[in-house]
């Protein structure tokens, strides 16, 4: 009898606990469903929270339609249904994008601010290229090595230096350059942007096709050979040469910075010497005689007689001749 009473007591206790658990679960479910329905009606189906304004700020060439298409954003949808993290990731994948900031402003505005990548050079696998603007083989590249293919080309892109002969790279928009030649060329552009070097040595082309050195041409058509290692030391040596050229009033033609001692260097002829060699004055001045417009009377008389002699005299009929007595 005692064992049956004890078992019966344990069953009643278990049923009581189970009922309380079921009641608590039902209460939690009711609260959840009610809260979810209230949030849905209050926020997600409330016309006051309709997305009415998409404010876009960018410092480059990205167009509004291009950004909205990439983010899959449009006016008229509920502002709480917009997944800001997904929009951020979608815009970050654009080749032109460097940084993205997104802010949701209630009741119906989303602000997007994009900082675009700033291209520092053109890059191509070709050894020679005349116009990178119109070439499909030329890509823009930023300081981090990210390749870009702009739909809208700005005028300032025309003055960017050109990295040619990068045949070891597979150039594609959005990718990052991986070859040591391209990375060294970008590092050289970064180091040469110092105050003095930027004013005196402006790089126009970097040829990386040789594979073991960089052949750099500046705005004055000077050709400088750089090695891949210790670019800062090579630039300091180049700075000394340029200072010497300024002091001696000479123009640098070629210099090989691969050599650490007895550096080979040549100087270009001055513009005055080139002009004197190409345009030599005549030994005796040429005298051009003018042709008179009005003929003098003495010169006109023989000409008149000649014209009169050459003019035929008309014959007069015999019936019309006057008889002289």
């Amino acid at each position: 009898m005692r064992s049956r009473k004890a078992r019966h007591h344990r069953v009643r206790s278990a049923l009581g606990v189970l009922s309380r658990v079921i009641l608590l679960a039902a209460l939690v479910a009711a609260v959840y469903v009610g809260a979810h329905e209230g949030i849905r009606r209050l926020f997600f189906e409330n016309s006051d929270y309709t997305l009415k304004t998409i404010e876009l700020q960018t410092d480059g060439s990205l167009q509004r339609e291009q950004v909205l298409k990439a983010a899959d954003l449009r006016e008229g949808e509920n502002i709480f249904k917009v997944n800001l993290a997904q929009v951020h990731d979608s815009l970050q994948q654009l080749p032109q994008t460097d940084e993205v900031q997104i802010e949701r402003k209630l009741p119906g505005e989303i602000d997007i601010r994009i900082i675009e990548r700033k291209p520092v050079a053109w890059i191509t696998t070709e050894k020679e290229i005349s116009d990178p603007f119109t070439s499909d083989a030329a890509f823009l590249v930023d300081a981090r090595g990210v390749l870009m293919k702009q739909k809208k080309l700005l005028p300032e892109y025309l003055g960017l230096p050109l990295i040619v002969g990068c045949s070891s790279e597979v150039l594609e928009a959005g990718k990052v350059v991986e070859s040591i030649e391209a990375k060294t060329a970008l590092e050289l552009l970064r180091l040469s942007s110092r105050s003095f070097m930027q004013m005196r040595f402006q790089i126009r082309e970097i040829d990386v096709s040789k594979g073991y050195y960089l052949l750099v041409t500046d705005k004055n058509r000077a050709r400088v050979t750089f090695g891949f290692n210790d670019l800062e030391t090579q630039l300091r040596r180049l700075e000394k040469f340029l200072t010497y050229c300024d002091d001696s009033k000479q123009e640098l033609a070629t210099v090989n910075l691969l050599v650490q001692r007895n550096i080979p260097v040549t100087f270009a002829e001055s513009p005055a010497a080139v002009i004197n060699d190409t345009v030599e004055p005549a030994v005796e001045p040429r005298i051009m005689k003018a042709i008179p417009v009005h003929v003098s009377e003495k010169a006109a008389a023989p000409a008149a007689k000649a014209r009169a002699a050459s003019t035929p005299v008309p014959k007069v009929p015999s019936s019309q001749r006057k008889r002289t007595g």
Side-chain angles (χ1 to χ4, degrees):
M1 293 295 294
R2 285 202 208 106
S3 62
R4 268 189 282 177
K5 288 182 179 180
R7 187 167 55 252
H8 184 67
H9 181 71
R10 287 196 297 268
V11 171
R12 290 183 61 186
S13 300
L15 289 176
V17 173
L18 182 59
S19 61
R20 285 194 292 268
V21 170
I22 294 174
L23 180 61
L24 181 60
L27 181 61
V28 171
V31 171
Y32 174 78
V33 172
H36 185 270
E37 184 67 17
I39 291 174
R40 185 178 63 83
R41 293 186 179 183
L42 183 61
F43 296 104
F44 292 96
E45 294 183 357
N46 192 340
S47 59
D48 294 336
Y49 296 108
T50 301
L51 181 58
K52 300 177 182 178
T53 305
I54 300 177
E55 188 69 25
L56 175 63
Q57 296 180 4
T58 179
D59 60 349
S61 60
L62 277 174
Q63 302 297 315
R64 179 180 177 85
E65 294 78 11
Q66 186 180 0
V67 173
L68 296 183
K69 182 179 180 181
D72 194 18
L73 271 179
R74 63 190 63 84
E75 288 89 350
E77 61 180 327
N78 188 272
I79 193 172
F80 291 105
K81 292 182 180 180
V82 178
N83 190 334
L84 296 186
Q86 185 176 355
V87 172
H88 180 276
D89 295 340
S90 299
L91 295 179
Q92 193 68 58
Q93 292 177 0
L94 292 174
Q96 302 94 325
T97 302
D98 189 12
E99 295 182 10
V100 180
Q101 297 177 2
I102 303 177
E103 183 180 1
R104 189 184 346 239
K105 292 183 178 180
L106 299 179
E109 181 178 348
I110 290 180
D111 292 349
I112 302 175
R113 184 172 181 268
I114 299 178
I115 300 177
E116 296 189 30
R117 301 184 188 277
K118 299 298 185 297
V120 297
W122 292 91
I123 187 170
T124 179
T125 56
E126 305 292 333
K127 291 186 177 181
E128 292 183 3
I129 188 170
S130 58
D131 187 6
F133 266 65
T134 59
S135 175
D136 294 334
F139 289 79
L140 291 168
V141 59
D142 71 345
R144 300 179 183 178
V146 180
L147 299 173
M148 296 172 284
K149 198 70 174 180
Q150 299 281 12
K151 292 184 177 180
K152 181 181 179 182
L153 296 176
L154 302 180
E156 54 264 28
Y157 295 164
L158 187 61
L160 293 176
L162 182 62
I163 302 174
V164 299
C166 195
S167 58
S168 60
E169 288 281 354
V170 179
L171 302 182
E172 185 178 343
K175 287 190 174 182
V176 182
V177 294
E178 298 178 356
S179 65
I180 186 63
E181 297 88 354
K183 290 181 178 180
T184 306
L186 293 175
E187 180 66 10
L188 179 61
L189 290 175
R190 185 186 69 83
L191 293 175
S192 63
S193 61
R194 295 178 297 176
S195 58
F196 173 79
M197 295 298 295
Q198 188 177 17
M199 292 167 35
R200 187 62 180 83
F201 185 68
Q202 296 182 7
I203 298 176
R204 285 291 170 262
E205 183 178 295
I206 303 177
D207 187 357
V208 301
S209 61
K210 302 303 179 182
Y212 62 95
Y213 69 84
L214 304 178
L215 184 58
V216 180
T217 306
D218 75 339
K219 66 173 183 178
N220 296 324
R221 298 186 180 277
R223 300 169 70 86
V224 183
T225 303
F226 285 88
F228 284 174
N229 299 322
D230 203 359
L231 292 176
E232 293 185 357
T233 302
Q234 296 180 72
L235 285 172
R236 283 196 294 268
R237 292 204 296 264
L238 177 61
E239 188 173 347
K240 293 180 181 180
F241 280 109
L242 295 175
T243 303
Y244 172 79
C245 291
D246 293 339
D247 295 339
S248 59
K249 307 298 181 182
Q250 298 186 81
E251 288 293 335
L252 188 66
T254 63
V255 59
N256 189 347
L257 299 175
L258 282 172
V259 184
Q260 296 183 0
R261 295 183 180 180
N262 300 323
I263 298 175
V265 59
T266 60
F267 298 95
E269 295 185 26
S270 63
V274 174
I275 293 175
N276 292 334
D277 290 342
T278 54
V279 183
E280 295 182 357
V283 179
E284 295 182 359
R286 294 180 61 189
I287 300 176
M288 304 295 293
K289 295 183 179 181
I291 300 176
V293 178
H294 301 287
V295 184
S296 60
E297 294 181 358
K298 293 182 179 181
K305 290 181 180 180
R307 286 196 301 270
S310 61
T311 302
V313 179
K315 294 182 179 181
V316 180
S318 58
S319 59
Q320 295 182 2
R321 295 178 183 173
K322 292 184 179 180
R323 298 190 176 205
T324 58

